[in-house]
Amino acid sequence: MSETAAAPRTAAPRPPCRGPADALVLAARSARLSARTVDTLLTSLILPVMLMLLFVYLFGGAIDTGTDYVTYVVPGVLVLCAGFGAAGTAVGVSNDMTEGVVDRFRSLDVSGTSLLAGHVAASMARNTAATAVVFAVAFLIGFRPQAGGPAWVAAVGILAAYVLAFSWLSAAVGLLARSAEAANGFTFLVLFLPYPNSAFVPVETMPDWMHGFAENQPATHVIEALRGLLLDQPAGDAAWWALAWCAGLLAASVAAAALLFRHRTA
């Protein structure tokens, strides 16, 4: 009785990586996780508003900025709000890396880029909601921007670029951190940046040794650009410096995140 050779087995083809579609699904997942984490959601939505009210009503009368303090402080609060929302990305990415979720996604041929892009997209959504809340409360307490249509578009674009850059930076930090608690420490760095600049007080009122750092950091240029655009005031080349900082941070953060993800999942 003749035996026929068994046909060699061929591995079933893996489904093609869908890229943007995967990122959208994972962004929705990250948004749902954020909604379930009530303390993080309240921090990103309410804390910037509380700080704005604190500075306007408790400290505003003692700080001379040459204009109504609420008008002066709102651009700085918007940047602070963006930092809060972006910092939460580090915790989300760190949780995924430490809880084994990434291995399950990779078995479904979901790329690391899609996973990280999903977290960043959710961060953009959180920041949109938080920014809307800050603007609503600012209008209620007397903020009256003077921007026209093109200035509004430019201001929104600069703020979105800042959020995008810091969200990717947060994703890289989440990959670098070995626990969610360590990733959460990144929030303190983000909290620090808007203070040694012109967000709440003019740089000229700070000690001389602090001027160099206060005048040459990304948050300063973003705040000055927003202030000039929203209040229809001259801001020099602050907008271009803000975009340059955001582009540099974004490029470095995306590259770092890609390298760290390959290292963590090797």
Side-chain angles (χ1 to χ4, degrees):
M1 185 174 180
S2 62
E3 295 182 357
T4 57
R9 289 188 175 183
T10 58
R14 301 183 73 183
C17 180
R18 295 171 297 171
D22 288 339
L24 288 176
V25 172
L26 292 170
R29 166 187 173 267
S30 297
R32 289 193 298 271
L33 291 175
S34 297
R36 295 170 187 169
T37 311
V38 179
D39 53 346
T40 302
L41 188 63
L42 290 178
T43 298
S44 61
L45 291 176
I46 296 178
L47 190 55
V49 172
M50 293 177 63
L51 287 173
M52 179 173 63
L53 296 176
L54 175 70
F55 274 91
V56 169
Y57 289 112
L58 294 185
F59 305 136
I63 301 174
D64 182 15
T65 61
T67 184
D68 290 339
Y69 190 66
V70 64
T71 301
Y72 181 87
V73 80
V74 166
V77 174
L78 291 174
V79 171
L80 186 68
C81 177
F84 273 124
T89 306
V91 178
V93 171
S94 179
N95 279 330
D96 280 352
M97 297 302 298
T98 56
E99 294 176 358
V101 176
V102 172
D103 292 333
R104 293 197 291 271
F105 283 146
R106 284 169 64 85
S107 69
L108 298 173
D109 201 30
V110 175
S111 68
T113 301
S114 297
L115 177 62
L116 298 177
H119 280 287
V120 170
S123 172
M124 300 292 288
R126 286 195 304 269
N127 273 282
T128 299
T131 300
V133 172
V134 169
F135 264 122
V137 176
F139 276 112
L140 288 176
I141 63 175
F143 179 62
R144 296 295 180 267
Q146 305 297 320
W152 271 107
V153 172
V156 170
I158 290 173
L159 189 60
Y162 183 80
V163 173
L164 181 64
F166 264 82
S167 295
W168 274 103
L169 178 60
S170 296
V173 171
L175 291 167
L176 187 63
R178 294 296 174 175
S179 66
E181 291 75 15
N184 195 42
F186 179 65
T187 304
F188 293 99
L189 173 62
V190 176
L191 278 173
F192 174 74
L193 274 180
Y195 287 94
N197 59 34
S198 62
F200 300 107
V201 296
V203 173
E204 294 75 16
T205 64
M206 300 177 184
D208 292 341
W209 57 267
M210 192 179 292
H211 287 184
F213 176 77
E215 292 173 350
N216 297 283
Q217 56 137 311
T220 299
H221 296 295
V222 173
I223 291 167
E224 289 301 322
L226 292 177
R227 187 172 285 138
L229 290 167
L230 294 178
L231 303 179
D232 195 21
Q233 296 176 353
D237 55 358
W240 298 112
W241 275 109
L243 291 174
W245 267 106
C246 291
L249 283 173
L250 178 61
S253 299
V254 170
L259 290 172
L260 288 168
F261 187 85
R262 284 199 294 268
H263 176 72
R264 289 287 301 271
T265 57

